[in-house]
Amino acid sequence: MEKIPVFAPVVTDEHTKKHVVDALEIGWLGMGKATKEFEERISDFLGLKDRYAVATNTGTSALHAALLVAGVGSGDEVITTSFNFVADQAAIQMTGAEVVMCDIRDDNLGIDCEKAETLITEKTKAIIPLHFAGIPCDHKGVYRLAKKYSLRVIEDATHAFGTTVDGRKIGSYGDIACFSFDPVKIITSVDGGCVVVNTQEESRHLHQLRLLGIDTDPIDRVKGDSTRGWDYDVAGEGFRYHMNTILASIGISQIKRIEEFIQSRRKVCQAYSKAFEGIDGLKTPQTDFSNVSPFIYSLRVLNDQRELLIKHLANLDVDVGIHFMPVHKKTYFANARRSDMTVTDKVSKEVLTLPLHSNMKSEFVQRVIEGVLSFFKR
């Protein structure tokens, strides 16, 4: 029996292979026209108006650069959730700021704005809310806090590329938004990220940050016969965060199919939720997925049954995952200031990620459903 993986990126088809081969044949492997095209396609997909998308080599790079653009630095504090991958906390520390961690809500597993407000001090500079599994957090609550206390918002939308709120895609409005295109996201560029900002000034700052502080992109330095590619200035601090041609080409091949991928994933999530509805011992996501671009399908296994279900599914060749183990439990961040973590501690013992792929085989979907149901029918 074929094992069903948790993640299965669509990268081995001829469509993606052709984009990579074409990029290799061009011969320019650094950051170039493909990166700019990928950024333009991101902008078009998100429906950006007077907002700017800047691609980076990873989602973590995007978060770090976004924090710097927001003016976060030594002596500041940034509030984020513990129920997340550690990239947010790492990015905050890279700026010299202090990590402050907040609990989540039980309904959407996003930041609890009431608890976040109790953490705000005169040092608080920004807040990073996560849209867990592509499901929007309390957007209005986050921006009410930001307005009340003059905070910057860096939305961790790494799970939510394509999710909409009130008919608008996340990233098309608000303050700063960060996306990820790593190997397991809805679309992948093998590794990659993107920052969306509101002003040309912040966009220019991002361009410098992603390429060692250099004041112009390589493609702009070689335009025209009289421009010398080696003639540039270093205007400020910067890093090796740029996205190269190969990664961008893969990203282009993927974003051309983004609607197909999202729709196929929604159908799987809806099939899971329908099948598991009403099962005593399971809690399914509180959404119908109509506005969600789902990165993962995460349900909650109650009554201390999770480990038994994991073993049951493993015997059926169904892989699962746990997203996430809380960051405040990690040694390096154990002493970070934080709120009461009642919900985070409870949820992290219950969550279970089921297999979810773009264009997932119907046979796989049915096997996952039957595997879960058979556990609860014992």
Side-chain angles (χ1 to χ4, degrees), residues 91 103 129 132 247 287 342-343:
D103 203 5
F132 174 73
L247 300 189
T287 176
T342 302
V343 180

Side-chain angles (χ1 to χ4, degrees), residues 75-148:
D76 295 328
E77 293 180 344
V78 179
I79 299 171
T80 191
T81 55
S82 172
F83 186 67
N84 195 354
F85 186 54
V86 71
D88 290 39
Q89 286 81 1
I92 292 167
Q93 284 213 324
M94 288 160 67
T95 69
E98 294 294 322
V99 175
V100 178
M101 285 183 274
C102 187
D103 203 5
I104 55 174
R105 288 175 27 163
D106 191 83
D107 57 350
N108 59 25
L109 307 189
I111 193 165
D112 184 324
C113 290
E114 290 185 7
K115 289 185 179 180
E117 187 165 15
T118 68
L119 295 169
I120 295 172
T121 71
E122 60 183 14
K123 295 181 180 180
T124 307
K125 188 65 173 285
I127 184 169
I128 305 180
L130 170 70
H131 302 293
F132 174 73
I135 299 170
C137 72
D138 179 11
H139 233 212
K140 291 180 180 178
V142 167
Y143 278 97
R144 275 197 300 268
L145 275 186
K147 182 177 181 180
K148 183 176 180 180

Side-chain angles (χ1 to χ4, degrees), residues 78-219:
V78 179
I79 299 171
T80 191
T81 55
S82 172
F83 186 67
N84 195 354
F85 186 54
V86 71
D88 290 39
Q89 286 81 1
I92 292 167
Q93 284 213 324
M94 288 160 67
T95 69
E98 294 294 322
V99 175
V100 178
M101 285 183 274
C102 187
D103 203 5
I104 55 174
R105 288 175 27 163
D106 191 83
D107 57 350
N108 59 25
L109 307 189
I111 193 165
D112 184 324
C113 290
E114 290 185 7
K115 289 185 179 180
E117 187 165 15
T118 68
L119 295 169
I120 295 172
T121 71
E122 60 183 14
K123 295 181 180 180
T124 307
K125 188 65 173 285
I127 184 169
I128 305 180
L130 170 70
H131 302 293
F132 174 73
I135 299 170
C137 72
D138 179 11
H139 233 212
K140 291 180 180 178
V142 167
Y143 278 97
R144 275 197 300 268
L145 275 186
K147 182 177 181 180
K148 183 176 180 180
Y149 294 98
S150 300
L151 305 178
R152 296 300 302 266
V153 176
I154 297 100
E155 293 184 50
D156 182 344
T158 54
H159 295 195
F161 189 62
T163 289
T164 61
V165 176
D166 297 328
R168 296 183 295 174
K169 288 188 174 74
I170 287 175
S172 67
Y173 64 98
D175 198 354
I176 300 175
C178 295
F179 296 98
S180 171
F181 309 117
D182 76 14
V184 300
K185 293 302 192 297
I186 294 172
I187 66 167
T188 182
S189 55
V190 176
D191 224 337
C194 176
V195 187
V196 178
V197 291
N198 275 314
T199 68
Q200 286 185 326
E201 181 181 356
E202 289 187 333
S203 176
R204 282 194 294 269
H205 190 184
L206 285 170
H207 279 77
Q208 291 178 7
L209 286 169
R210 75 175 177 182
L211 192 59
L212 301 171
I214 294 172
D215 64 343
T216 54
D217 282 345
I219 192 170

Side-chain angles (χ1 to χ4, degrees), residues 213-226:
I214 294 172
D215 64 343
T216 54
D217 282 345
I219 192 170
D220 295 324
R221 295 200 301 273
V222 296
K223 287 180 179 177
D225 294 335
S226 61

